[in-house]
Amino acid sequence: MPTASSLPDQLKDWMLHRSHEWWLVSSVLSASVGLICFAVSFFNHHLKEWNLLLKFSIISVACIALICIAVLIAKKMLEGSNPWVKAHLVFFAIIVTYILTFFLDKEKEEEPDVYGLVSYAAFAVLFLSLAIQTRLGFLGEIVYFFLGVLLIRLMEIKWWLVFPGACFSYPLIILSSFLDELSGERGRLPIRTPLPASPDAETSHVDDTGALMSPQQSNNTDTDTVPLLAPQPPVRRDDLLDVFRHALRPLNGMDREVARELQRPLKDYITDRSEEVPEVLVNDPNFLVDRISPQVLDELNRLMKNSPQFEEHIKNLVVDEYSRSRKRFLEICQVELQLNVQQTWNDIHDGSERHRIQRWIKLSTIALRMLFPYERRLCQRIFGSHSEISDKCFMQVCSELAQDLLNFTDHIANRRNFEQMSYSHSIFQVFRTLNLSIPAFESLFSNSHFGSSLWIEAARVKERLCRVIKDYFFTELEELAHADGSGYYIRDKIHSTTIRVMFRLSDAFRERDTLELILHDYPMVDVMEGVSSLSTHIAWMIELLETNLEAFTKKFKNASVGSIYLIDNVNYIVKKVCGTQLNTILGGTWLEEQSAKIDQYIKDYQRISWDNVLGFLKLDSDNVTAESMKEKLRSFNEQFPKTLVEQRHSSLDDQKLREDIIESVRLVLVPAYGNFINKFRDILLDHADEYIEYSTSEVESRLRGTLDGSFFAFF
């Protein structure tokens, strides 16, 4: 991961990340502010008798002239390194400095004012902007001049004002100190191939671009320049690193423009207005390489071909120099695309899960599909397709960012707080991106012994992520289903385990395509050929849950309550399956089996709850006496209200199912009771009513009031 840098380095990066247009606007604004404030200050001190219109006209003309000069100078300097332009710029800077010195000497007797102070600060910013645009370091000396004047004038007002003045001056001085380095990094000067120095040759010279030349070349720079693509003898080992470093400068100078060329078509993808990478980038593998000048790449390639066989320490130095250069390009791309990997890591601790995962997905996609292939082609273009140094350079450039992307995935896989992280969705996004990235890791890193470990690491992280997902949906649910709930009161109609299991299985169905791939590679149960792995595992999970529920209800003191509890939970499972479309993969046969299971639970409920009551109503045709009939009716009158009380304390979540169960009991109990009462009246005649406590309609009415209460059953 990128490490924290010092303040000067941060200022340097900030300066390098600003476009030429940004500095041009800065030049125009600072020139306008500086000239207007300086003119107002001068007029107030020396030309108070001039009218306002005349002052405004002079200021406007001078301001327009200075702005035009600043823009023209910047434009000319960016087009090339014409020495005549440089000479005129030096002349202009010297004249401006002397004129301002003259006026400053005249102002020493005057009290400093705000307009004057603002003008010094604005002129310092103006010349710094011009220096950065033109890459002429001597303009930094003028920046120091204006900052020195500003500090002196501040101290003339109040001595302590030097401290805010120093705070303003510090970043400008730091930026000015980088001007020489900037001229190398941002330059796009033509390259001349350095000729080798023989033992008998005279001391080599350096031309205005920094390329090595022989004495004969240096005497005839304009007419005898070596053609850019002309065959050249090998470069001496001692000169190779310096020449290579110099040849990299034009490539480095194109980094920001190449990054912006990449950012433009990716703008909608980065800002979530599009979910797909533009086809122009997917279908054109040379999109970024084509943005580099062929002459720059040919020059670097010829330099490597014409160089002697690398010694090990020279090879390492070239690799280090090249990798530092290209790593900076990757960092620039992250800044331009607003997908900085360091910020993604920091967000892990901020809790902004969705945002950081989305940023990781985009950065992974862009890096593996565009940036890494681009760097691979660039290495092959410069060092050769099958060169060991090409593989080593590519690995050193890309391995750090690739490892950071894998570390992020590994960190996600190691986190166990799934519920709080909403992992049912987020972890699948990470897995899908990584799964799509594995072929890219293989093609980019597996063919080289330098990168094989990175490809193996990517496969290992994918395997770990697969196991984490499988554990989340099935292993943890298996443990949950086997949990012993003894010693607790049942307060809810549906067991909490049933709710949690079905919730996760519903999530699993939403991610069925991805889970199908994972369970195919890492099954937990045997899967028949031609049958969906996911449907097999879901059916197994539900069967495990129902088996556990059956064992759970056997601990109930009241068996009829356990039957109702089973009916309610299994019915909830069936409704959840149909409501979340799980039935589309479980099939109609599974639903029929569940329906039969519920019917069996209802029969068990009737047998446990009402068979005892129905037993009192059975008539023995061979031995029916008045006394036996009285005893049976007395037992019924005693047991029927007790059973009603027990059933009123039970309840069902599904109202229709409750009505169906009551109706099934009524169809058996009420006719049996009616037949018994009729037979009882035939035997006891007028004395029958003395023993009958419930009419047939009363029995039916009281049955309809059952299974509608709440209960607490200790088990």
Side-chain angles (χ1 to χ4, degrees):
M1 293 186 300
T3 56
S5 57
S6 62
L7 179 59
D9 289 336
Q10 294 176 1
L11 289 172
K12 176 187 174 184
D13 290 340
W14 179 87
M15 175 177 68
L16 294 175
H17 290 170
R18 304 278 78 78
S19 65
H20 291 298
E21 293 79 6
W22 195 95
W23 290 112
L24 192 60
V25 172
S26 175
S27 302
V28 172
L29 293 178
S30 56
S32 303
V33 173
L35 190 58
I36 291 173
C37 291
F38 185 83
V40 171
S41 176
F42 182 78
F43 288 154
N44 288 342
H45 288 160
H46 304 287
L47 301 173
K48 296 181 179 179
E49 67 278 5
W50 287 25
N51 62 53
L52 182 61
L53 179 61
L54 183 58
K55 292 180 182 179
F56 177 77
S57 300
I58 294 175
I59 292 174
S60 300
V61 172
C63 185
I64 293 172
L66 187 58
I67 292 173
C68 292
I69 292 172
V71 173
L72 179 62
I73 289 173
K75 182 178 180 182
K76 288 293 183 182
M77 290 308 299
L78 290 174
E79 291 174 353
S81 56
N82 192 320
W84 286 103
V85 177
K86 291 183 179 180
H88 285 85
L89 183 57
V90 172
F91 172 77
F92 169 74
I94 293 174
I95 293 300
V96 169
T97 304
Y98 281 128
I99 292 175
L100 290 173
T101 304
F102 170 77
F103 285 114
L104 290 173
D105 289 338
K106 293 178 68 65
E107 287 189 9
K108 285 183 179 179
E109 299 178 357
E110 302 290 341
E111 184 71 20
D113 60 359
V114 175
Y115 292 111
L117 298 176
V118 173
S119 68
Y120 305 145
F123 284 138
V125 175
L126 166 64
F127 281 99
L128 176 62
S129 301
L130 289 175
I132 292 174
Q133 294 176 83
T134 60
R135 299 179 295 276
L136 294 178
F138 75 88
L139 290 177
E141 302 298 329
I142 303 180
V143 177
Y144 299 151
F145 167 77
F146 280 108
L147 292 177
V149 174
L150 175 63
L151 293 175
I152 292 173
R153 301 297 280 177
L154 286 171
M155 292 181 66
E156 290 177 358
I157 300 175
K158 294 286 185 181
W159 69 267
W160 54 266
L161 289 178
V162 71
F163 295 109
C167 293
F168 172 79
S169 304
Y170 176 77
L172 299 185
I173 293 174
I174 295 298
L175 293 177
S176 299
S177 67
F178 290 126
L179 289 176
D180 292 337
E181 183 177 351
L182 179 67
S183 63
E185 291 188 356
R186 295 173 69 104
R188 302 186 185 182
L189 305 179
I191 301 174
R192 295 181 175 89
T193 304
L195 292 177
S198 63
D200 301 329
E202 301 177 30
T203 304
S204 297
H205 299 276
V206 180
D207 68 356
D208 61 330
T209 68
L212 298 173
M213 299 188 298
S214 65
Q216 292 79 6
Q217 286 178 297
S218 62
N219 293 333
N220 194 10
T221 303
D222 296 330
T223 59
D224 297 329
T225 301
V226 179
L228 186 63
L229 301 178
Q232 298 297 328
V235 180
R236 290 190 315 169
R237 285 185 175 90
D238 296 340
D239 297 333
L240 177 61
L241 188 59
D242 289 337
V243 174
F244 181 73
R245 184 183 292 116
H246 178 80
L248 276 177
R249 288 180 179 176
L251 182 61
N252 296 340
M254 299 177 186
D255 285 349
R256 184 156 300 283
E257 186 59 34
V258 172
R260 286 175 180 162
E261 288 288 335
L262 177 64
Q263 187 268 346
R264 290 186 188 103
L266 285 172
K267 187 174 182 180
D268 288 345
Y269 176 70
I270 295 170
T271 55
D272 295 328
R273 288 196 290 265
S274 172
E275 296 182 359
E276 300 294 334
V277 176
E279 292 186 3
V280 66
L281 298 177
V282 176
N283 299 331
D284 185 2
N286 295 313
F287 178 84
L288 292 177
V289 177
D290 291 344
R291 268 61 189 169
I292 304 295
S293 169
Q295 290 182 323
V296 173
L297 299 179
D298 290 341
E299 182 68 23
L300 285 165
N301 179 255
R302 189 175 65 254
L303 177 63
M304 293 295 100
K305 285 182 178 179
N306 293 340
S307 300
Q309 182 64 33
F310 286 120
E311 296 177 0
E312 191 63 30
H313 75 283
I314 295 293
K315 182 191 301 183
N316 292 335
L317 291 175
V318 169
V319 170
D320 291 342
E321 187 67 33
Y322 181 82
S323 62
R324 277 196 299 269
S325 166
R326 302 314 302 160
K327 281 181 182 179
R328 179 178 173 275
F329 168 73
L330 294 180
E331 293 176 1
I332 290 175
C333 286
Q334 293 178 56
V335 172
E336 290 291 335
L337 299 174
Q338 298 179 349
L339 298 173
N340 187 273
V341 69
Q342 179 66 54
Q343 187 177 1
T344 300
W345 268 96
N346 291 339
D347 279 349
I348 287 180
H349 308 291
D350 295 340
S352 50
E353 173 207 346
R354 181 181 178 277
H355 182 61
R356 65 186 173 83
I357 287 181
Q358 289 298 323
R359 187 162 56 233
W360 176 86
I361 290 172
K362 295 181 188 301
L363 181 57
S364 297
T365 302
I366 293 171
L368 288 164
R369 298 180 67 177
M370 281 156 271
L371 295 181
F372 292 169
Y374 165 62
E375 292 299 331
R376 168 64 81 183
R377 292 185 181 90
L378 208 57
C379 287
Q380 293 173 347
R381 186 81 163 77
I382 294 172
F383 300 104
S385 300
H386 305 289
S387 168
E388 179 182 335
I389 193 173
S390 173
D391 291 338
K392 196 171 183 179
C393 284
F394 171 73
M395 273 302 302
Q396 199 154 317
V397 170
C398 299
S399 61
E400 183 177 343
L401 178 56
Q403 188 63 57
D404 279 343
L405 295 174
L406 290 177
N407 288 344
F408 181 91
T409 308
D410 204 34
H411 181 89
I412 293 294
N414 287 332
R415 297 189 73 174
R416 296 297 179 183
N417 196 5
F418 294 159
E419 304 295 345
Q420 293 183 6
M421 292 185 65
S422 303
Y423 248 52
S424 57
H425 177 67
S426 299
I427 199 171
F428 278 102
Q429 291 181 302
V430 174
F431 173 79
R432 280 193 292 268
T433 302
L434 181 61
N435 190 50
L436 293 174
S437 302
I438 291 297
F441 270 102
E442 183 177 4
S443 63
L444 289 168
F445 300 106
S446 65
N447 296 328
S448 166
H449 69 276
F450 295 109
S452 58
S453 61
L454 199 59
W455 173 54
I456 294 172
E457 174 70 8
R460 185 190 65 80
V461 172
K462 177 193 172 183
E463 180 179 351
R464 178 180 295 181
L465 203 57
C466 285
R467 295 189 181 279
V468 166
I469 293 174
K470 185 194 68 172
D471 290 347
Y472 171 63
F473 281 101
F474 296 103
T475 303
E476 288 193 351
L477 291 185
E478 183 181 8
E479 296 173 356
L480 186 63
H482 282 307
D484 183 10
S486 61
Y488 290 89
Y489 285 97
I490 299 300
R491 301 176 183 273
D492 301 312
K493 301 173 185 178
I494 309 300
H495 198 289
S496 60
T497 299
T498 305
I499 295 173
R500 292 176 64 184
V501 168
M502 296 310 300
F503 178 79
R504 286 200 190 176
L505 293 182
S506 300
D507 282 348
F509 178 75
R510 283 195 289 269
E511 302 290 350
R512 54 191 175 277
D513 294 336
T514 306
L515 269 175
E516 193 72 52
L517 296 174
I518 295 174
L519 294 173
H520 181 271
D521 294 335
Y522 305 98
M524 297 182 66
V525 294
D526 294 333
V527 180
M528 297 177 59
E529 186 176 353
V531 179
S532 164
S533 298
L534 180 60
S535 64
T536 301
H537 282 77
I538 289 179
W540 164 72
M541 195 69 246
I542 293 176
E543 182 181 359
L544 181 65
L545 173 63
E546 292 177 346
T547 301
N548 185 67
L549 285 171
E550 289 179 359
F552 181 72
T553 55
K554 288 180 180 178
K555 302 173 184 179
F556 284 32
K557 288 183 177 182
N558 190 328
S560 66
V561 172
S563 297
I564 293 298
Y565 197 68
L566 277 175
I567 293 170
D568 225 1
N569 278 264
V570 174
N571 185 62
Y572 173 85
I573 291 172
V574 172
K575 289 171 63 178
K576 201 69 176 177
V577 164
C578 296
T580 56
Q581 296 185 327
L582 278 169
N583 58 309
T584 58
I585 62 173
L586 291 174
T589 302
W590 183 89
L591 289 175
E592 291 175 0
E593 292 174 354
Q594 295 297 308
S595 179
K597 187 176 291 188
I598 292 176
D599 290 341
Q600 183 60 48
Y601 290 149
I602 293 175
K603 291 178 181 178
D604 292 342
Y605 164 74
Q606 292 176 348
R607 175 179 54 80
I608 295 170
S609 302
W610 295 102
D611 274 10
N612 188 32
V613 175
L614 288 169
F616 300 129
L617 301 178
K618 289 182 179 180
L619 297 174
D620 188 355
S621 57
D622 297 334
N623 187 19
V624 177
T625 64
E627 288 302 322
S628 64
M629 293 289 287
K630 290 179 183 179
E631 183 61 29
K632 287 186 176 184
L633 185 58
R634 189 180 301 109
S635 298
F636 175 85
N637 292 337
E638 181 180 340
Q639 187 61 37
F640 179 65
K642 291 182 180 180
T643 304
L644 287 176
V645 169
E646 291 178 356
Q647 303 314 308
R648 288 193 182 105
H649 288 170
S650 301
S651 65
L652 277 168
D653 188 60
D654 190 313
Q655 184 64 25
K656 184 178 183 305
L657 184 60
R658 170 182 172 271
E659 292 174 357
D660 291 342
I661 293 175
I662 293 173
E663 180 65 15
S664 66
V665 174
R666 187 193 69 80
L667 291 175
V668 176
L669 181 61
V670 173
Y673 183 73
N675 292 334
F676 182 89
I677 292 300
N678 290 335
K679 188 69 173 178
F680 188 78
R681 289 184 184 277
D682 291 341
I683 295 175
L684 270 71
L685 301 175
D686 295 337
H687 299 286
D689 290 337
E690 297 176 7
Y691 300 95
I692 298 174
E693 294 186 10
Y694 304 101
S695 66
T696 305
S697 59
E698 285 180 317
V699 170
E700 183 174 349
S701 175
R702 296 200 178 196
L703 276 177
R704 296 192 184 280
T706 58
L707 302 179
D708 63 349
S710 59
F711 69 95
F712 293 89
F714 188 78
F715 55 93

